[in-house]
Amino acid sequence: MTLVTTKKILKDAQRNDYAVGHFNTSNLEITKAIVEAASEMNSPVIVAASKGAIKYAGIKQIAEIVKTAAKKTKIPVALHLDHSPDIDLIADCIKYGWTSVMIDASHFSFVKNTRLTKLAVQLAHRRKIPVEAELGRLEGKEGWVKGKEIFTDPEKAKVFARLTGCDSLAVSIGTSHGAYKFKGTPRLDIKRLKEINEQVRIPLVLHGASSVPQKLVVEANKYNAKLKGMIGVPNSQIRQAIRNGICKVNTDTDIRIAFDLGIRKSLKQHPENIDYRKYLASGMAEVKKLVKSKIRLFKSENAV
Ligand code: G3H
Ligand code: 13P
Ligand code: ZN
């Protein structure tokens, strides 16, 4: 079917205590693997493309790839703009058919974040497109400064949601982007999440939620990868987060690990092969397995 917005997908998840997977893509192969996996699991799915993905693939090309994959299935598929730092990009994406956008002004002050988010909401809502915003900062690529308060404040979250009119809110409770999330034991601030969930009615979003499956990492290293010291969010803590208000779980890093593993495996097992479709198919098969395992974890299987 045609792409749907994230509005109903996330409200249904909120009402029924499960979460919908947000999976990042930059190309045909990852998109097909995500949508096929979700389709086989009868689960709604959010396919996301970042500014970097758009730069890599082209704004029209990536939109067409996702639209075409969605048309071949009966499950609800949304195309979401991930972490947009600017309003012009949001406007362009809406023009090319994105059905959900994120304004990420979380690195600015509360006042500036509120002002920019409000502008993005006004623009997107004119086209009936829902907006995800972020309050608090994730350690890593979001300009985190050591010693500064980075976790989301529940009271501020309530005010932010009311002032901006955003449709969903990304929170900072201890996750970070990429494969190196924790120095010691992984721990999310579930108490804080609970408090945010009591203050904010809109669906909450968990970024930086990859679990960095050690089985895949060990296997990739067998096929010549050199991956060391990677730590993700344990599945048990993702489950706890979903029980406490998280309705959308963002995964990019685990997809990269799975795709990379599949390609490495195929190249090692068939060093004579130069048909790229064969090793890309092996990468896609690993991504499909991964996405299915996430859908089981998020409990969105058969939710459509
Ligand atoms: O949170 C952002 C995603 O991991 C996208 O990463 O900017 O490299 O496309 P990217
Ligand atoms: P990971 O790096 O943990 O996969 O997070 C992805 C993400 O938050 C995309 O917005
Ligand atoms: Zn993110």
Side-chain angles (χ1 to χ4, degrees):
M1 61 189 202
T2 52
L3 293 172
V4 300
T5 75
T6 43
K7 187 85 184 178
K8 182 166 182 308
I9 292 185
L10 293 182
K11 278 289 170 198
D12 285 349
Q14 191 176 38
R15 263 195 294 271
N16 296 298
D17 302 318
Y18 62 86
V20 180
H22 149 137
F23 300 103
N24 285 79
T25 188
S26 299
N27 66 11
L28 171 73
E29 287 76 18
I30 302 285
T31 305
K32 280 185 74 174
I34 295 167
V35 176
E36 281 174 20
S39 192
E40 286 166 26
M41 300 288 284
N42 232 357
S43 165
V45 73
I46 299 167
V47 180
S50 67
K51 185 180 180 175
I54 290 168
K55 188 168 171 225
Y56 172 80
I59 191 163
K60 188 163 164 25
Q61 289 92 328
I62 198 74
E64 292 308 319
I65 288 169
V66 179
K67 282 183 210 171
T68 308
K71 267 196 197 128
K72 293 177 82 169
T73 173
K74 289 194 173 70
I75 56 154
V77 180
L79 171 56
H80 176 74
L81 171 61
D82 199 16
H83 289 286
S84 178
D86 66 84
I87 301 211
D88 290 346
L89 181 62
I90 290 178
D92 283 348
C93 284
I94 293 174
K95 196 165 87 192
Y96 281 100
W98 261 254
T99 53
S100 175
V101 294
M102 176 185 189
I103 173 81
D104 185 358
S106 60
H107 45 295
F108 293 123
S109 67
F110 180 84
V111 171
K112 193 163 175 187
N113 188 1
T114 304
R115 186 166 58 74
L116 290 173
T117 300
K118 216 168 147 181
L119 279 176
V121 168
Q122 280 166 355
L123 174 111
H125 282 187
R126 277 204 293 273
R127 304 270 182 278
K128 300 204 167 7
I129 300 297
V131 177
E132 175 182 327
E134 178 169 323
L135 186 68
R137 290 177 205 172
L138 268 68
E139 188 175 353
K141 66 180 176 191
E142 292 182 359
W144 178 70
V145 184
K146 209 172 168 44
K148 274 204 166 183
E149 173 61 63
I150 57 163
F151 284 5
T152 308
D153 179 272
E155 288 294 331
K156 281 189 185 159
K158 180 183 179 178
V159 177
F160 182 81
R162 183 169 51 76
L163 290 179
T164 62
C166 64
D167 302 275
S168 57
L169 183 69
V171 295
S172 171
I173 55 164
T175 59
S176 60
H177 291 102
Y180 304 89
K181 298 186 189 296
F182 303 96
K183 297 263 153 48
T185 313
R187 201 187 78 84
L188 301 192
D189 193 342
I190 298 292
K191 182 171 166 282
R192 179 182 297 269
L193 175 62
K194 220 177 237 171
E195 287 165 15
I196 299 169
N197 196 33
E198 279 160 14
Q199 299 292 338
V200 178
R201 284 168 184 275
I202 54 176
L204 302 177
V205 179
L206 189 64
H207 282 251
S210 277
S211 64
V212 187
Q214 289 306 301
K215 198 168 155 268
L216 302 193
V217 171
V218 169
E219 217 184 333
N221 282 339
K222 275 196 215 145
Y223 295 106
N224 291 343
K226 286 199 168 62
L227 310 178
K228 248 176 72 185
M230 292 174 151
I231 304 182
V233 185
N235 285 348
S236 58
Q237 296 197 29
I238 296 288
R239 261 186 242 113
Q240 262 189 300
I242 295 171
R243 278 199 294 272
N244 288 285
I246 293 295
C247 302
K248 172 173 176 281
V249 181
N250 288 19
T251 305
D252 184 0
T253 298
D254 285 354
I255 288 186
R256 296 180 188 203
I257 294 172
F259 195 49
D260 171 87
L261 167 64
I263 293 171
R264 283 180 192 279
K265 206 191 288 186
S266 176
L267 287 173
K268 183 85 186 277
Q269 288 169 351
H270 306 283
E272 75 296 345
N273 172 50
I274 57 157
D275 182 347
Y276 54 80
R277 291 168 298 196
K278 294 203 171 121
Y279 54 80
L280 291 176
S282 172
M284 287 166 74
E286 289 295 334
V287 173
K288 267 183 89 167
K289 268 197 276 176
L290 177 97
V291 170
K292 286 186 176 183
S293 73
K294 297 287 177 189
I295 287 172
R296 261 176 233 117
L297 176 67
F298 305 158
K299 295 201 183 325
S300 68
E301 187 177 358
N302 292 324
V304 295

